[in-house]
Amino acid sequence: MTSLFTQEIRLSKRHEEIVSQRLMLLQKMESKFGDLNKGKASQMQAAETAFKRNLSLLKDIEVAEQSLRTRIHPLPSPEVVSLETLYWASVEEYIPKWEQFLLGRAPYPIGVDDQKEAENTIQNEAQQ
């Protein structure tokens, strides 16, 4: 009977050791899990901060780009805009006449006395 009693005590102590080891392992796991969560939270915070910084930098670059564009290509004066408008209106007016001439269906569209001379001039310019 004593041997059973000592065996019971020994098993009880072994059980306590196992339970104690289990508790320590669980605490280590919780600690590591907590550290991982803190690390992930820190990474998420850093990523969010970097994202906001990048957005801010992009906006700054866009503003700088716009500023450079206005310096390089300033808005033309109203006189220039008016001249451009008149020029393109003239071009649109003469397109049908030039189109027929270039297709060989009509004479030189601008009042030139010698059409052959005008055609030669155009051919020479095209060759250059």
Side-chain angles (χ1 to χ4, degrees), residues 57-95:
L57 288 172
L58 280 174
K59 287 178 185 176
D60 291 346
I61 289 171
E62 288 172 358
V63 168
E65 182 182 15
Q66 187 61 33
S67 173
L68 288 173
R69 278 192 182 142
T70 55
R71 280 191 214 161
I72 293 171
H73 303 291
L75 294 176
S77 67
E79 294 85 11
V80 172
V81 172
S82 175
L83 287 172
E84 284 180 357
T85 304
L86 291 173
Y87 170 78
W88 286 112
S90 172
V91 167
E92 288 178 8
E93 177 184 338
Y94 281 95
I95 284 177

Side-chain angles (χ1 to χ4, degrees), residues 16-80:
E16 286 179 19
E17 289 173 7
I18 291 173
V19 169
S20 175
Q21 286 177 348
R22 181 179 179 269
L23 182 62
M24 285 190 327
L25 289 173
L26 284 173
Q27 288 173 346
K28 284 182 183 178
M29 285 176 49
E30 286 178 6
S31 175
K32 282 192 177 188
F33 184 71
D35 291 345
L36 285 175
N37 280 344
K38 286 179 186 176
K40 285 182 182 180
S42 175
Q43 286 177 344
M44 291 294 289
Q45 179 77 22
E48 189 174 326
T49 302
F51 180 75
K52 288 178 182 177
R53 183 197 64 233
N54 291 346
L55 280 179
S56 174
L57 288 172
L58 280 174
K59 287 178 185 176
D60 291 346
I61 289 171
E62 288 172 358
V63 168
E65 182 182 15
Q66 187 61 33
S67 173
L68 288 173
R69 278 192 182 142
T70 55
R71 280 191 214 161
I72 293 171
H73 303 291
L75 294 176
S77 67
E79 294 85 11
V80 172

Side-chain angles (χ1 to χ4, degrees), residues 4-16:
L4 288 177
F5 184 69
T6 47
Q7 190 176 10
E8 181 71 27
I9 292 174
R10 192 170 41 90
L11 287 174
S12 178
K13 285 182 182 181
R14 181 68 181 139
H15 176 72
E16 286 179 19

Side-chain angles (χ1 to χ4, degrees), residues 97-98 101 106-112 114-116 118-119 121-122:
K97 295 175 187 176
W98 279 100
F101 168 72
Y108 191 77
I110 311 273
V112 174
D114 188 6
Q115 183 175 346
K116 289 288 181 191
E119 289 174 356
T121 304
I122 290 177

